[in-house]
Amino acid sequence: MAKGSGIIERSLLTDDQIMEFDNLVMDGIDISGRWNTMLKSRVHSRPELDSWDEIRESFIGASIDNCIQCGMCTAGCTVAHEIPEFNPRQFIYWVRTGRQDELIKNADVIWRCVGCYICTNHCPKEVNTAEVIESIGQWLHRAVPEKMDDAFKANHETYRHQLFTYGRLSLPRLQAEFLNRTGRRQELFTAEMRKTAVKMLKDGRVMRTLFIGKPRHWSRSAMVLSHQEA
Amino acid sequence: MSTSVMVIGAGPAGLQAASTLSHLGFDVTVVEQQQYLGGAVARHQYQVLMPDFSSGPELLRHLIERVNEDPHIKIYTGTSVEDVSESRDIFSITLSGAHAETIQSHAVVLATGFDHFNPARDGKYGYGIFPDVITGAELEEMFAKGPIRRPSNGEVPQSVAFIYCVGSRDRQVGNTYCSRVCCAVSAKQSIELREQLPKARISMFYMDVRTYGLWEDSLYWRSQEEAGVVYVKGRIAEVTEQHGRPVLKGEDTLVRGPFEWPFDLIVLAAGMEPSRGTHDMAKKFQVSLESHGFIKQAHTIHNASLTDHPGVFVAGAASGPKAIEDSIAEGDVASLAVFDYLKAKVTL
Ligand SMILES: Cc1cc2nc3c(=O)[nH]c(=O)nc-3n(C[C@H](O)[C@H](O)[C@H](O)COP(=O)(O)OP(=O)(O)OC[C@H]3O[C@@H](n4cnc5c(N)ncnc54)[C@H](O)[C@@H]3O)c2cc1C
Ligand code: SF4
Ligand code: SF4
Ligand code: SF4
């Protein structure tokens, strides 16, 4: 039976507000089944603020306290206009009001920021909104890694690996590694891909991709990065 | 020799100062760069004044008649200050323009006012690109000239949006202060609009509504209760155009989520900036500016009109955004401060 099906005005509740157990015995009384339907308290009573500290102390999240909640960032945001749940202003609000429950619930929404920086460019308070959202995203990576699905994780790891190895990104390499990691290697050899490969051979892009090179003194920068990573 | 004081700028603050200084026994010269008196009130022909809906032209008539009829006040319009030197507490001021002469003054009141923020400097509002996007000052001029129509096609607007805090409270444009009057002026304008446009949808897009003090119920509440104006909390990120109508792209931060709403007419509540004349005079008379570029009040609490240069006083919007009532009050404050300063030095 659907969750909470016995509740009148069921439409006012979301699934995660409803607790229901197939088998439950309380004080020796068996209340299995519909009898034990309970609602979680809707009152938020325990602000969790360690994430706020983590974010404001991070290099990219430091400007979070500048925010005046005006909504300019969401108003111009690329993703917000596609996904109504995506709302950088509100993510900042949740951080500052200790709503880790909401942040975690919406982790996969928050991770969808495309890094276009429109928000940062518009913000009247010079919040670096794009990077604050990234900082929130990074906190979520640490807090709820299990919420990242496999494709997401593979994508993440691919970028990280490429960047740490070469100090720069190349689209063909990114795509190859991503498909490799997700076990979709055969997609590299479709007719379309082969056509592209031939074209790239001819115009020389293949060479640039194979011998991508590294920035000057990359090993030193890499050391700093892996140090931060640790 | 009688004691003479120069007032620079003939807006509400300067006109009030001139009249009061004359009552106190000084000879006054008013120097105004424009050909007309009355400052912003005259320039934009404010018809109905915030907060009490009194008449703008009547206020001007009152202020101007008093100085015109006063034999101790000389009015120099179309005149600017060219050069200033100071010796033994007497300013020697060389004028250019209609009255090119040099005048000795014992004290100076700077009442050089403000300039409107030019919204073309902030590309996101489409000002100067879309004809139906106008400023609050331009709306005042529309009220003065005739019925409200859409500049693009002359039609009666069915929907009007006010965008608050344009050029104020925004680090991107460099103005981090609140302009203080635009919330209340916009509320006043919405009430006036309602009389002309009984059916139009009128919406205010705000970050905070700052109709402080006694203006809360008389303007903010009244605009909602009597004029049916809607307040939407959120800043506008972009104005675009669709089917010949401006479209506001914003976030309604209360219900959360972005919107794109078309309106027939957009009014930008453009803020106040220190006028160019204010900067010029600050330099020539060697007074400091505060961090936002207005003239610095040396003792804000003690006396609003003192600058950090003895003998130079300030009144009105030259020392920060303020309403007409405060500007006029400061005209009096500066006059008394001049009196206080000069009575120790000169026997009247
Ligand atoms: C759209 C809008 C509507 C408003 N409506 C209202 C309202 O309804 N009620 C209200 O209380 N307030 C209103 N205000 C605020 C009001 O305009 C100001 O409070 C008032 O004009 C300030 O008076 P002032 O004399 O200090 O300066 P101003 O009015 O700016 O006058 C300054 C004068 O000095 C002259 N000047 C400047 N530099 C020099 C120079 N170097 N040499 C010679 N002359 C110089 C200028 O030409 C000008 O005439 C409104 C403001 C805006 C932006
Ligand atoms: S635009 Fe800046 S100040 Fe406004 S809500 Fe977004 S981050 Fe906060
Ligand atoms: S950087 Fe992210 S949050 Fe900012 S506007 Fe782009 S998608 Fe939205
Ligand atoms: S008075 Fe209102 S509209 Fe004007 S700057 Fe202040 S808050 Fe913004």
Side-chain angles (χ1 to χ4, degrees):
Chain A
M1 214 187 301
K3 213 175 176 190
S5 58
I7 299 172
I8 303 169
E9 301 290 3
R10 171 66 181 82
S11 63
L12 299 178
L13 297 164
T14 56
D15 278 358
D16 60 339
Q17 289 175 277
I18 301 167
M19 289 188 293
E20 245 174 16
F21 305 90
D22 287 341
N23 298 299
L24 186 68
V25 179
M26 274 176 99
D27 297 336
I29 301 166
D30 187 345
I31 46 170
S32 299
R34 247 178 66 179
W35 299 110
N36 66 43
T37 298
M38 282 177 272
L39 298 187
K40 285 186 191 154
S41 166
R42 271 174 277 192
V43 177
H44 186 258
S45 49
R46 203 165 41 89
E48 294 159 303
L49 296 164
D50 51 313
S51 40
W52 184 13
D53 287 336
E54 246 178 79
I55 287 156
R56 73 217 298 205
E57 279 157 23
S58 73
F59 182 71
I60 57 173
S63 61
I64 189 170
D65 289 338
N66 286 9
C67 176
I68 198 171
Q69 287 290 305
C70 68
M72 185 84 90
C73 46
T74 304
C77 172
T78 313
V79 176
H81 283 258
E82 302 302 326
I83 307 170
E85 293 77 25
F86 189 90
N87 190 322
R89 175 194 58 78
Q90 189 168 45
F91 303 154
I92 290 173
Y93 193 68
W94 282 339
V95 170
R96 297 207 292 195
T97 49
R99 295 304 303 252
Q100 287 184 6
D101 54 339
E102 292 290 351
L103 289 169
I104 287 168
K105 197 163 88 190
N106 289 279
D108 54 341
V109 176
I110 296 172
W111 285 330
R112 291 194 206 193
C113 166
V114 295
C116 64
Y117 280 76
I118 290 179
C119 49
T120 299
N121 288 332
H122 275 161
C123 174
K125 289 292 308 298
E126 274 178 4
V127 177
N128 190 335
T129 322
E131 294 184 8
V132 168
I133 299 307
E134 172 61 19
S135 180
I136 299 173
Q138 288 185 6
W139 175 79
L140 284 164
H141 287 161
R142 293 190 293 275
V144 282
E146 69 279 6
K147 288 202 85 173
M148 288 191 260
D149 67 21
D150 289 341
F152 190 108
K153 238 182 286 182
N155 191 35
H156 199 67
E157 291 304 318
T158 301
Y159 267 87
R160 203 163 265 259
H161 175 241
Q162 291 281 328
L163 200 62
F164 275 58
T165 316
Y166 302 106
R168 46 181 66 146
L169 298 171
S170 143
L171 202 57
R173 271 179 182 273
L174 283 170
Q175 191 167 17
E177 184 176 337
F178 173 74
L179 290 174
N180 229 342
R181 279 179 186 265
T182 45
R184 288 157 58 189
R185 210 175 161 175
Q186 69 285 2
E187 285 176 37
L188 280 170
F189 305 104
T190 57
E192 188 64 24
M193 281 294 201
R194 258 184 260 144
K195 230 166 69 192
T196 311
V198 171
K199 214 162 134 198
M200 287 175 63
L201 247 173
K202 282 195 188 140
D203 66 16
R205 271 184 290 166
V206 159
M207 296 311 269
R208 261 181 283 149
T209 301
L210 288 176
F211 303 100
I212 177 175
K214 288 177 184 171
R216 259 158 64 88
H217 307 306
W218 173 243
S219 55
R220 269 188 254 165
S221 311
M223 226 160 66
V224 175
L225 277 179
S226 31
H227 181 76
Q228 242 201 358
E229 178 81 336
Chain B
M1 164 186 164
S2 71
T3 312
S4 68
V5 180
M6 181 175 289
V7 175
I8 301 173
L15 292 173
Q16 179 71 18
S19 165
T20 305
L21 283 164
S22 156
H23 289 173
L24 291 171
F26 300 108
D27 281 331
V28 184
T29 308
V30 178
V31 173
E32 166 60 55
Q33 61 190 6
Q34 304 291 348
Q35 298 301 337
Y36 53 81
L37 302 177
V41 182
R43 186 167 1 131
H44 303 293
Q45 306 165 53
Y46 302 166
Q47 298 299 299
V48 173
L49 297 179
M50 179 283 293
D52 60 356
F53 294 81
S54 61
S55 154
E58 227 159 79
L59 172 77
L60 282 184
R61 211 172 306 127
H62 163 74
L63 289 171
I64 293 171
E65 258 169 31
R66 272 194 325 184
V67 296
N68 274 342
E69 285 163 7
D70 192 321
H72 297 286
I73 301 177
K74 276 190 288 190
I75 306 277
Y76 287 4
T77 49
T79 303
S80 302
V81 172
E82 205 49 44
D83 196 44
V84 180
S85 62
E86 190 181 355
S87 136
R88 298 170 67 234
D89 292 342
I90 294 180
F91 297 95
S92 180
I93 304 167
T94 309
L95 303 176
S96 64
H99 298 266
E101 51 191 80
T102 297
I103 288 184
Q104 313 287 318
S105 285
H106 295 86
V108 174
V109 176
L110 302 179
T112 42
F114 71 101
D115 283 341
H116 286 96
F117 172 80
N118 176 3
R121 256 170 56 201
D122 192 349
K124 57 179 172 285
Y125 298 114
Y127 179 75
I129 300 172
F130 307 127
D132 293 327
V133 178
I134 64 171
T135 65
E138 286 163 349
L139 182 62
E140 290 294 340
E141 291 165 23
M142 264 194 199
F143 279 129
K145 287 189 189 121
I148 302 299
R149 295 287 182 266
R150 299 181 62 194
S152 63
N153 59 9
E155 282 174 10
V156 179
Q158 304 301 321
S159 55
V160 184
F162 285 78
I163 303 181
Y164 283 32
C165 302
V166 171
S168 306
R169 306 177 68 195
D170 189 342
R171 283 207 173 102
Q172 302 276 358
V173 300
N175 293 340
T176 54
Y177 53 87
C178 162
S179 289
R180 282 179 93 192
V181 301
C182 12
C183 274
V185 168
S186 300
K188 179 217 72 162
Q189 290 176 333
S190 74
I191 293 167
E192 282 182 275
L193 267 182
R194 174 57 77 219
E195 283 169 17
Q196 283 200 32
L197 309 170
K199 290 224 157 65
R201 181 161 69 104
I202 304 178
S203 309
M204 322 296 259
F205 294 89
Y206 70 99
M207 178 154 66
D208 301 284
V209 179
R210 296 188 164 169
T211 44
Y212 53 96
L214 307 184
W215 304 345
E216 173 74 11
D217 53 352
S218 61
L219 290 160
Y220 180 20
W221 293 7
R222 186 173 158 199
S223 69
Q224 294 185 316
E225 294 172 4
E226 288 176 27
V229 168
V230 173
Y231 283 75
V232 181
K233 187 168 170 71
R235 253 186 126 142
I236 300 301
E238 205 182 345
V239 178
T240 54
E241 200 179 44
Q242 246 171 31
H243 312 300
R245 296 168 83 201
V247 174
L248 300 192
K249 195 167 161 182
E251 196 216 339
D252 184 331
T253 61
L254 293 182
V255 301
R256 96 185 183 97
F259 58 77
E260 284 175 23
W261 288 335
F263 283 90
D264 285 345
L265 185 67
I266 312 281
V267 183
L268 305 177
M272 297 163 118
E273 290 185 324
S275 68
R276 245 192 50 207
T278 294
H279 280 173
D280 276 3
M281 290 307 103
K283 219 188 217 151
K284 292 204 164 119
F285 286 95
Q286 294 172 18
V287 300
S288 304
L289 302 176
E290 52 81 66
S291 66
H292 309 95
F294 292 93
I295 289 177
K296 185 175 174 178
Q297 295 167 314
H299 299 283
T300 320
I301 294 178
H302 178 66
N303 184 304
S305 71
L306 302 180
T307 70
D308 59 4
H309 189 149
V312 183
F313 301 82
V314 64
S319 65
K322 56 184 66 92
I324 296 170
E325 57 189 58
D326 300 321
S327 301
I328 289 180
E330 284 188 6
D332 285 340
V333 171
S335 306
L336 281 174
V338 167
F339 182 79
D340 216 30
Y341 167 77
L342 289 180
K343 78 169 196 271
K345 301 196 151 106
V346 190
T347 349
L348 295 173

